[in-house]
Amino acid sequence: SKVPHDREKAISYYEKACNFSNPVGCAALSEFYLDGDIEQFNNKELSLKYSIRACMLKDFSSCNEVAKSTNFNKNSETGAIIVPLLEEGCSFGDRESCYIFANNLNRTQKSLKISLYKKSCELDFAKACFSLASMFIEEKNNSTSFKKSISLFT
């Protein structure tokens, strides 16, 4: 027999899964509240709460979504949670985590930023390749940097 469409029941089961530390359940709740087409299911604060929970449970795509949807500072409460998890996601080979982590470093952390963009680029993340090339091109006085950036695209 066919299962009836019931949003409230779906949410209760997603909540149960999330409460049992299932990151996919938390991420599903986040999506549900983010994309809610009915006012009671459209709640960006709840969406963020569940994304952060999924992230803390090592769902790195949720960490990436939190990082992209908030202007976090690594010294903020959200940043204190997200930055180490982006770093961990990168160490596990999540290319977007490497890219977002690099984007949130300041200019004084240039060598780390380059290595993170390079890792992300090597994992086939085009935005990271572009960012890496742009960094080398910024070094106007260094012709080898320009040659290095061109080699990324050949």
Side-chain angles (χ1 to χ4, degrees):
S1 87
K2 194 174 179 182
V3 177
H5 188 76
D6 186 335
R7 290 171 194 244
E8 284 85 6
K9 204 171 265 191
I11 284 177
S12 73
Y13 285 120
Y14 284 144
E15 284 174 343
K16 195 172 218 173
C18 185
N19 289 338
F20 285 129
S21 298
N22 179 295
V24 178
C26 298
L29 273 171
S30 174
E31 285 297 313
F32 208 99
Y33 284 113
L34 183 65
D35 298 330
D37 56 350
I38 298 174
E39 192 172 322
Q40 76 185 79
F41 297 115
N42 192 340
N43 187 325
K44 293 196 185 326
E45 285 179 28
L46 271 178
S47 176
L48 180 61
K49 171 189 164 189
Y50 287 117
S51 277
I52 290 172
R53 173 92 168 112
C55 174
M56 292 171 67
L57 293 168
K58 312 291 183 182
D59 178 50
F60 299 118
S61 63
S62 290
C63 297
N64 298 338
E65 290 307 312
V66 170
K68 288 188 293 190
S69 69
T70 61
N71 290 326
F72 71 91
N73 174 313
K74 66 181 177 184
N75 298 322
S76 70
E77 186 178 333
T78 303
I81 295 167
I82 300 301
V83 170
L85 290 164
L86 287 172
E87 188 173 12
E88 187 174 347
C90 183
S91 71
F92 281 113
D94 184 83
R95 63 191 194 171
E96 194 170 10
S97 291
C98 297
Y99 174 74
I100 294 170
F101 184 42
N103 273 350
N104 286 287
L105 294 174
N106 62 40
R107 288 189 168 269
T108 62
Q109 298 168 297
K110 192 173 190 175
S111 62
L112 177 57
K113 194 171 203 152
I114 288 171
S115 70
L116 291 167
Y117 280 145
K118 185 175 181 183
K119 182 172 184 175
S120 183
C121 180
E122 288 169 354
L123 292 168
D124 300 329
F125 198 66
K127 288 180 181 178
C129 299
F130 180 83
S131 295
L132 187 58
S134 296
M135 285 185 74
F136 285 121
I137 287 172
E138 283 178 10
E139 299 289 326
K140 294 176 186 170
N141 298 331
N142 187 345
S143 63
T144 56
S145 292
F146 181 75
K147 288 176 187 171
K148 220 178 205 182
S149 65
I150 295 302
S151 73
L152 289 171
F153 296 102
T154 56

